[in-house]
Amino acid sequence: MKSAITQQTQHILNLIAKRDLNDDEKKQLIDETVDNFNAYINPGFLQYRKSFSPDYVAVEWADSGSTFTCVKGIEYIDCLGGYGIYNVGHRHPKVLKAVTDQLNRQALHSQELLDPLRGYLAKILADLAPGNLKYTFFTNSGTESVEGALKMAMLATGRRTIIASVGGFHGKSLGSLSATSKAVFRKPFLPSLHNVRHIPFNDLHALEQTLACLQFTGDDAAAVLLEPILGEGGVIIPSDDYFPGVRRLCDKYGALLIADEVQTGMGRTGKMFCVEHWNVEPDILCLGKAFGGGIMPAGAFIGSEKLWTPIFSNPFLHTTTFGGNPLACAAAIATINVLLEERLCERAQTVGDIFLNKLKSTIKPYTPHLILDARGKGLLIALEFPDTDIGFRVSKGLFQEKILVAGTLINAKTIRIEPPLTITLEQIDNVINALSKVLKEIASEMKVQLINESITKPTPIPMNNLQQTVLSRQL
Ligand SMILES: *Cc1c(COP(=O)(O)O)cnc(C)c1O
């Protein structure tokens, strides 16, 4: 057994070291990957992939810029962006160089001495983040950033209740999951943190009522935890007065405002941090996803000096082994450099506007029977469909056209378009042309479907009413 594993690991190490695979190696790699997923990861994942793609065995192998390539050598335009990881693109040379240079000297830290990159990155974040945000704790993921932020809020306020929003997503570890809102993810694990209240998003009246009720009952809110734009919830953009109002209400009731910018941060919506659109200064800012430049897993949460003082006397009250490791910090420092130097926040805004306008005119002939809406801010864009079936068909069609998009986790009613901020106008046109083709195909398929149905009906529906019938059925 041991010698077999030695052999097997050596075989894989040889594969990793290779740039190009021959046809036999490709076939073997694809077959083995499918088998391994089936037998050792989760067969359900393959079923899920099937719903998005006829070629559900597409196995990814390499990436660069705004594209990735599967083992067969097919290049896909990445309009999913790893749910918001690839803001500076795939393997940006500058991020790659920083990480490789660091790797060639020291990979992880001793855990005991002072590591310079963590210090530098924290200082940079203090300069970059809004207002008084000054101290940073580094994490390995978004959910860890939220966990830490919740602990910090409890510690700083001495209060326990957390207010989060319906439609909000904050991660899936137990603490963050309590604040996440979708029943399908939460229900099997309830009760989790029992002191989380979910309120409707973009509703200041509901927030004030909840804060007032909690104050009345003595369950005072420690924090209001919100995504500036609901990402997983379907790219729901609040009205411009919402976040300023939330800030005011938090101050009135002594609750902290935690902005979960794991997805909206690092330039995605056209500003470095999304709350900057409304000049709102949160008490804690959570980062993850794109923070590691699409190369390293990295996250952080940043707070004011006042909030951090409770852990000055015991810096071990909240710790992590890998958070803030030198490779992750090198990646994050390079990422910030690239975002600023290449003006990618501004680019997200202008290119996002262009993309959204083109999407709007492309979907117009199919609205509302095939598509309800295209909306977005910067390059956080969503297409909304009347039902999940059409969403799946569009995703599937786009994948055949070598464009990756994705639903909002196991739901294709809303498809997210979240490409690297470096996506070219030419690539955007490719996406638009593909979408146009796919919509046309689906529209004609649906007409055919309807004609077939009408043949079996006693009174045939006149042709010019067909579209109308589809519409009423869907809505
Ligand atoms: C993805 C996401 C998280 C969770 O991040 P993980 O790295 O998957 O743990 C938390 N909050 C928001 C807003 C996210 O989009």
Side-chain angles (χ1 to χ4, degrees), residues 141-144 146 169-172 227 260-263 289:
S141 64
T143 200
E144 282 174 72
V146 173
F169 182 83
H170 302 288
K172 290 182 184 164
E227 292 170 85
D260 180 352
E261 295 241 20
V262 170
Q263 187 158 181
K289 295 207 166 101

Side-chain angles (χ1 to χ4, degrees), residues 65-93:
S66 297
T67 64
F68 64 92
T69 312
C70 75
V71 174
K72 289 179 180 165
I74 304 169
E75 192 178 66
Y76 293 85
I77 297 179
D78 186 4
C79 272
L80 164 60
Y83 292 109
I85 305 174
Y86 295 113
N87 290 15
V88 299
H90 290 252
R91 290 188 313 116
H92 190 288

Side-chain angles (χ1 to χ4, degrees), residues 115-162:
D115 40 320
L117 298 193
R118 192 147 50 115
Y120 281 128
L121 179 55
K123 178 181 186 304
I124 290 164
L125 285 171
D127 290 341
L128 198 62
N132 292 322
L133 298 177
K134 182 164 183 280
Y135 281 87
T136 297
F137 185 95
F138 292 103
T139 69
N140 306 286
S141 64
T143 200
E144 282 174 72
S145 300
V146 173
E147 295 276 343
L150 293 179
K151 282 177 75 178
M152 218 55 173
M154 292 181 189
L155 204 60
T157 59
R159 301 177 175 188
R160 289 293 171 266
T161 312
I162 306 294

